[in-house]
Amino acid sequence: MKRFNFTLEKLLDYKDQVLSKEKNDLAQLRAERQQREDEKAELEEKLRMSGEEYAEKAARGMTVNDITMFKNFHSALIRQIKDKEDEMAALDGRIANQTGVVVEASKDVNSLERLKDKQLEEYRFAVNKSEEQFIEEYVSVSSFRRAQ
């Protein structure tokens, strides 16, 4: 009997490729979000260290110009932190959308794989039936030859 051949193998391969691409896109988005989170943590650490430096210098006495410089620097850091949070929120939305795309692509692949399994089961059943029929014919022919 001929070899098993899934009729939608090319479509399954294509859907697998699409799923892999979508998973890679999702991983890239997650890496990008993690990078933004790391950048935000660095900015927060700069803000914390600058605050400590400001407190030390303020205790010793500072000029109005130094105070203004620190305040402007702190404002810039706070603005950058806010920007990173906004970028992370936008990335969270893109990640959520991409997760939905990956789920749908996975469903497509899974349905095709279930169909392939069903076709394989039907193929195996047909092979077994064919083998049983061959054995029955062989036994019948053998019995007939012995009888003659």
Side-chain angles (χ1 to χ4, degrees):
M1 187 159 206
K2 68 179 184 173
R3 229 179 107 233
F4 172 71
N5 185 25
F6 180 49
T7 56
L8 299 173
E9 190 67 41
K10 287 183 181 180
L11 181 62
L12 178 59
D13 291 342
Y14 172 74
K15 294 290 186 174
D16 268 336
Q17 289 174 358
V18 168
L19 177 60
S20 294
K21 179 202 168 294
E22 298 301 342
K23 282 182 177 179
N24 288 338
D25 290 349
L26 180 59
Q28 185 176 359
L29 286 172
R30 287 180 174 159
E32 195 174 329
R33 191 199 184 284
Q34 183 61 48
Q35 180 182 357
R36 295 299 183 279
E37 197 169 316
D38 294 344
E39 291 168 355
K40 179 186 170 215
E42 287 178 27
L43 291 170
E44 288 171 337
E45 180 62 19
K46 279 184 186 178
L47 182 62
R48 186 191 63 75
M49 291 177 69
S50 178
E52 290 175 2
E53 182 181 351
Y54 176 79
E56 288 174 13
K57 286 187 177 184
R60 286 184 262 136
M62 295 174 60
T63 65
V64 173
N65 194 23
D66 288 341
I67 293 172
T68 304
M69 184 183 73
F70 268 106
K71 294 294 181 185
N72 288 339
F73 183 65
H74 287 190
S75 295
L77 285 175
I78 290 169
R79 204 170 29 256
Q80 289 176 0
I81 290 170
K82 175 73 172 105
D83 290 345
K84 293 299 175 192
E85 289 171 349
D86 292 344
E87 290 173 14
M88 287 176 8
L91 283 168
D92 285 342
R94 290 177 58 197
I95 288 170
N97 289 339
Q98 188 63 27
T99 301
V101 170
V102 168
V103 166
E104 288 303 313
S106 293
K107 286 179 184 178
D108 289 347
V109 169
N110 288 339
S111 66
L112 286 171
E113 286 176 346
R114 282 192 305 272
L115 182 59
K116 182 178 182 177
D117 290 343
K118 185 177 178 182
Q119 280 188 8
L120 180 59
E121 186 178 313
E122 290 171 357
Y123 168 80
R124 287 179 179 154
F125 180 77
V127 166
N128 287 341
K129 205 66 157 156
S130 173
E131 289 174 355
E132 287 175 13
Q133 186 177 8
F134 175 77
I135 291 171
E136 287 177 15
E137 288 175 10
Y138 180 77
V139 169
S140 295
V141 168
S142 295
S143 298
F144 180 73
R145 285 186 183 160
R146 274 191 239 142
Q148 286 185 340

